[in-house]
Amino acid sequence: MVITRPSYRNVATPLTREVILHLRAGEWISLSGEMYLARDATMFSIIEELERTGEAPFVLQGAVIFHAGPAPPLPGKTVGAVGPTTSARVDRFLEPLLERGVAATVGKGDRTLEGRKLHVRYGSLYLVACGGAAAYLTNFVAEMEVLAYPNLGPQALRRIIVESFPLLVGYDTVGGNIFQRKNPELRKYM
Amino acid sequence: MKYIEGEELVTEVKIALRELNISPLPELTERLSFAWQEEDEPAREMLFQILENHRIAGFTGLPLCQDTGMVTAHVEIGNDIKIIGPPLPFLIDRAVRETYHENFFRGSIISDPLFGQHTGDNTPGMYTYEFTEGDIFRITLLVKGGGCDNLSALAMLEPGSGFDKVEEFVLSVVKEKGARACPPLILGIGLGGSGATVLSLASRALNRELGRVHPDSQYAALERRLCAKINRSGIGPQGVGGKTTCLEVRIENGPCHIATFPVAMVASCHLFRRSELSW
């Protein structure tokens, strides 16, 4: 059996405006560089800190935020199993982050209508990682460290360094949306 | 009377919990490989990554998914069974605690949705018990992540409604939220019982082994029909569009009140992490 795979475009962080504008929904990218892990409780803490101090624990301008909560690393390793969580759940926290220049969010599943509109309005990408494939995806993660909120356990804010991490462009900056490409009957739900 | 050693039970459950989090069921790999051949991009590449994950999880020592889930156990226990040692839920919780700690699996449980903290060791699990006759003792373990549990739903239909109303309800939930639950999905549908117990029927359906259809051929036909309709929605693997949204629909039915028609659905993501132990 012949295993054919799609071609991947190599992309590095920080994501430049030019790269962001050129990527299109449905395109696979191989991302190298830096991402920040933040999911439900992490997002709640970041927003709370933003409101209280006016600053986040990391530079939001140009950042890539990955909605994920990793497993603890195996002994002798620094990287724990990591994969995306459902992104729609954190859409309620999105606007203050995107308006401060977050370049892309990474997760799985379609977003809420509001979440999708916000990505288009602020010219940010939504990148989709394959859910339920942590052992595979963790291969592409070189480093992982806790930056803030260690009391949140798996939901602590982490910085990771990835090498050729596989991601599908879910929403692009011109309104392209992989989740309704083939299923027009789903539009009324989106 | 058959005696079950509590210590032995803990050991068996621990082995099963490690296995189901690290090794995919062979039939599952087979079904997804078939789906991979059928799909176009980008769904095909999603399935490729899922299958690569199946292949390598075992020897990396990493779990198939970072969300090693909430542990559910359905216990069938005959009246001739006596368990030696602490009460059964304590024993299963001990197995969960030790497995998740020893294998560096993520603890995903908080003690309360409003005021709780991470329990850290993934306990408590959620256990249901069914009392039966003789010396039957069987534990069915199912580990589900949060993403697919969020697809759970309940409807109280008009009594006398046909199966098309059941389909309408299930399809509306799947179309609205299915892409977020890591498809291809496996669905358990409960029909009948009460508003409270219909979810147990749905869970029992989801607990069935892969490939096991309803014993009544009329219901087996409805299972196939609903699965085909869900697959026509086009949601596809990971929601990116495609032919494979649902691998199986299972139905469990039961008696209900003349004034009600309870319907419930629960779902598993494409990693159907199930294990059955019997003594």
Side-chain angles (χ1 to χ4, degrees):
Chain A
M1 188 183 303
V2 185
I3 298 179
T4 52
R5 294 189 63 192
S7 55
Y8 278 72
R9 186 198 289 229
N10 291 321
V11 173
T13 66
L15 297 179
T16 61
R17 210 60 235 156
E18 198 193 344
V19 167
I20 294 172
L21 293 174
H22 275 93
L23 290 171
R24 289 291 172 267
E27 199 171 345
W28 284 95
I29 65 168
S30 196
L31 186 77
S32 299
E34 200 176 55
M35 290 199 271
Y36 294 90
L37 305 188
R39 52 171 295 157
D40 312 63
T42 337
M43 294 292 258
F44 197 86
S45 299
I46 294 171
I47 300 302
E48 192 265 340
E49 190 168 332
L50 265 178
E51 281 170 1
R52 193 164 37 84
T53 69
E55 283 187 55
F58 61 101
V59 179
L60 294 173
Q61 183 65 44
V64 179
I65 296 182
F66 183 5
H67 306 308
L74 294 173
K77 302 272 170 100
T78 54
V79 176
V82 64
T85 194
T86 308
S87 303
R89 281 202 316 273
V90 293
D91 283 350
R92 62 204 157 118
F93 304 115
L94 210 52
E95 188 156 22
L97 302 177
L98 296 186
E99 74 183 8
R100 284 171 176 79
V102 166
T105 61
V106 177
K108 72 171 173 81
D110 57 342
R111 315 288 298 236
T112 59
L113 184 59
E114 182 63 15
R116 184 157 67 85
K117 283 183 180 162
L118 286 171
H119 279 85
V120 176
R121 185 180 315 151
Y122 291 102
S124 304
L125 296 169
Y126 171 45
L127 305 170
V128 181
C130 184
Y136 174 72
L137 291 179
T138 305
N139 276 324
F140 305 98
V141 183
E143 289 172 41
M144 182 180 284
E145 59 168 345
V146 173
L147 278 191
Y149 323 125
N151 58 315
L152 297 179
Q155 305 200 68
L157 176 68
R158 287 172 171 84
R159 190 175 77 108
I160 63 171
I161 306 290
V162 294
E163 284 162 11
S164 306
F165 195 93
L167 294 167
L168 179 70
V169 180
Y171 301 160
D172 60 31
T173 51
V174 292
N177 173 4
I178 188 66
F179 297 97
Q180 73 179 36
R181 204 175 59 131
K182 286 181 182 169
N183 34 357
E185 71 159 302
L186 295 179
R187 261 173 215 161
K188 65 176 170 160
Y189 297 96
M190 300 183 121
Chain B
M1 191 63 82
K2 184 157 142 190
Y3 295 92
I4 311 282
E5 279 292 342
E7 287 301 313
E8 190 198 315
L9 185 149
V10 170
T11 308
E12 295 285 325
V13 172
K14 280 178 67 177
I15 293 169
L17 283 175
R18 177 186 150 82
E19 271 303 298
L20 59 78
N21 271 305
I22 284 182
S23 313
L25 296 168
E27 314 84 62
L28 188 65
T29 308
E30 206 175 291
R31 301 277 285 276
L32 292 168
S33 303
F34 182 73
W36 169 77
Q37 292 176 45
E38 299 284 294
E39 291 288 357
D40 299 322
E41 300 297 353
R44 185 177 158 89
E45 174 67 6
M46 284 295 183
L47 288 168
F48 177 85
Q49 293 185 19
I50 287 169
L51 289 164
E52 276 296 282
N53 190 55
H54 282 203
R55 193 172 65 78
I56 66 168
F59 61 83
T60 56
L62 294 174
L64 290 156
C65 183
Q66 77 289 343
D67 187 351
T68 38
M70 173 181 258
V71 177
T72 66
H74 181 69
V75 185
E76 291 156 84
I77 183 164
N79 56 346
D80 287 336
I81 295 291
K82 166 80 184 134
I83 295 160
I84 304 165
L88 190 52
F90 292 44
L91 291 168
I92 309 178
D93 267 349
R94 205 184 104 199
V96 173
R97 185 178 300 118
E98 291 179 7
T99 308
Y100 279 62
H101 179 71
E102 288 165 12
N103 293 286
F104 303 88
F105 292 162
R106 194 180 84 184
S108 309
I109 307 300
I110 48 174
S111 55
D112 179 271
L114 285 179
F115 307 110
Q117 299 286 326
H118 278 268
T119 63
D121 58 10
N122 216 47
T123 62
M126 298 293 137
Y127 314 129
T128 50
Y129 307 93
E130 184 180 334
F131 296 98
T132 176
E133 275 187 295
D135 63 355
I136 287 173
F137 185 60
R138 192 180 296 131
I139 300 180
T140 307
L141 298 163
L142 189 69
V143 167
K144 265 173 58 173
C148 59
D149 204 36
N150 281 333
L151 207 60
S152 307
L154 169 74
M156 301 303 281
L157 301 182
E158 293 291 335
S161 297
F163 191 67
D164 53 337
K165 291 289 176 197
V166 175
E167 289 184 323
E168 206 173 280
F169 162 64
V170 172
L171 282 163
S172 73
V173 177
V174 171
K175 284 175 183 173
E176 188 193 342
K177 297 191 290 191
R180 299 169 193 170
C182 269
L185 303 168
I186 293 163
L187 294 185
I189 310 290
L191 302 178
S194 68
T197 62
V198 68
L199 277 156
S200 311
L201 284 174
S203 301
R204 183 203 286 258
L206 193 62
N207 264 327
R208 289 193 335 224
E209 65 188 312
L210 214 58
R212 172 75 65 88
V213 301
H214 198 288
D216 177 337
S217 62
Q218 286 187 87
Y219 271 106
L222 294 177
E223 290 175 344
R224 282 195 303 275
R225 182 175 118 181
L226 180 51
C227 188
K229 280 197 181 170
I230 293 170
N231 282 329
R232 281 201 291 277
S233 71
I235 294 168
Q238 295 295 310
V240 299
K243 305 179 185 88
T244 326
T245 305
C246 183
L247 292 177
E248 282 185 12
V249 169
R250 297 91 171 276
I251 299 174
E252 287 282 324
N253 50 299
C256 63
H257 191 279
I258 47 172
T260 72
F261 185 171
V263 180
M265 65 175 276
V266 292
S268 166
C269 65
H270 62 80
L271 287 175
F272 184 59
R273 288 167 285 181
R274 176 193 185 273
S275 184
E276 189 178 305
L277 302 168
S278 48
W279 277 263

